[in-house]
Amino acid sequence: MQGVQQGLEVARTVLFVHGYGILTAVSVFIALFMLWRELRRTSFKEEEVFDMVFVSSLLALIVGRLFFFLLENPPFQFTFFNFLIVYVFPGFSLLGIYLGFFGALVILCARHKVPFADLIKRIALPFLTMLAIHAFLVAAKDWAWAELVVCALYTVFIFVMSVILKLERTTKIRERALFPALLFILSFVAFIAWIGYSVMLAGKIEAPPIEPLAFGGLALISAVWFATGVTRNN
């Protein structure tokens, strides 16, 4: 009987991982299509940018998985085998994913001599749209009100980012302020999402662990960083 229960638990975990993966794939496909349409209107080489995004995404998953073991303190030992079998020990650190993706993107931009700020200008809206769609699909799948809040926040910030991009095109905001704006949005929404899940699961706001605390700090830092680039010097 115990063996049957363990088998059912493994099956449930596999279905969860596969379902979550399908929802993620749908949102990523839509974001890549939006990025492709945006790149067609620029001088960027589409193949080069997509290669950079692919490599950055791969490193983001690796770093996110590593941070999951280091920060989340899961009830199993960190081994190379446990690191690989996501369907048995599912979990990624969102902080690690963001750090891995943008860190790799900075390095690749420097290597390929691609302006990082200009590339951020092209990927900001597709990136936020991907996160909003993913949050909506997960909310529809699990009926989680916290994900609906996340989806609503991303939707609002998509509009805000559109306004920021418009102001940048009219030279009212420096191009270098776009990345801290995106970083603030990602950090702020992640911190609010933790509050929502904390209330939904525990019924109260508990003391934040390392990752939500880091997101809160990043939101403050990026807000100050963005403020320094709002107005151009004459």
Side-chain angles (χ1 to χ4, degrees):
M1 186 66 179
Q2 185 177 1
V4 174
Q5 291 178 346
Q6 292 177 347
L8 290 175
E9 183 65 22
V10 171
R12 185 189 68 83
T13 303
V14 171
L15 288 175
F16 170 79
V17 172
H18 285 188
Y20 192 83
I22 292 173
L23 298 180
T24 301
V26 171
S27 57
V28 169
F29 176 80
I30 294 175
L32 290 177
F33 177 74
M34 292 179 61
L35 178 60
W36 171 73
R37 292 193 60 183
E38 177 66 25
L39 292 176
R40 292 186 64 187
R41 297 195 291 264
T42 68
S43 60
F44 282 110
K45 298 179 181 178
E46 298 173 21
E47 298 82 359
E48 185 179 49
V49 172
F50 274 98
D51 287 344
M52 292 168 59
V53 170
F54 175 77
V55 174
S56 298
S57 300
L58 182 61
L59 291 177
L61 292 177
I62 294 175
V63 176
R65 183 67 169 162
L66 182 61
F67 269 52
F68 170 73
F69 281 91
L70 296 177
L71 299 181
E72 297 295 332
N73 298 314
F76 43 84
Q77 184 180 7
F78 172 65
T79 64
F80 182 72
F81 183 69
N82 289 345
F83 183 86
L84 293 178
I85 49 176
V86 181
Y87 69 92
V88 176
F89 302 116
F92 290 88
S93 165
L94 187 60
L95 177 64
I97 288 176
Y98 287 159
L99 291 178
F101 180 82
F102 290 111
L105 200 60
V106 168
I107 295 173
L108 291 172
C109 283
R111 181 178 179 181
H112 293 277
K113 298 181 179 179
V114 174
F116 178 72
D118 195 17
L119 183 58
I120 288 296
K121 181 164 57 176
R122 309 304 172 184
I123 71 173
L125 288 181
F127 196 80
L128 293 177
T129 302
M130 174 190 70
L131 295 175
I133 293 174
H134 181 264
F136 174 78
L137 293 176
V138 172
K141 171 179 173 289
D142 298 332
W143 294 100
W145 64 265
E147 284 293 338
L148 286 176
V149 172
V150 171
C151 178
L153 284 174
Y154 278 130
T155 303
V156 171
F157 279 122
I158 287 172
F159 173 76
V160 172
M161 181 57 76
S162 300
V163 173
I164 292 174
L165 291 173
K166 183 177 180 179
L167 292 175
E168 189 276 333
R169 288 193 293 269
T170 58
T171 69
K172 294 182 179 180
I173 291 180
R174 296 179 181 179
E175 190 179 60
R176 71 183 188 185
L178 297 180
F179 177 64
L182 179 61
L183 186 61
F184 169 78
I185 292 172
L186 299 177
S187 303
F188 178 78
V189 173
F191 186 74
I192 296 300
W194 169 80
I195 294 177
Y197 274 106
S198 181
V199 172
M200 185 176 68
L201 297 177
K204 60 180 180 179
I205 300 178
E206 299 178 338
I210 296 177
E211 183 164 319
L213 199 61
F215 275 126
L218 277 175
L220 291 176
I221 294 172
S222 56
V224 175
W225 186 7
F226 171 75
T228 62
V230 169
T231 306
R232 289 180 177 269
N233 295 325
N234 294 326

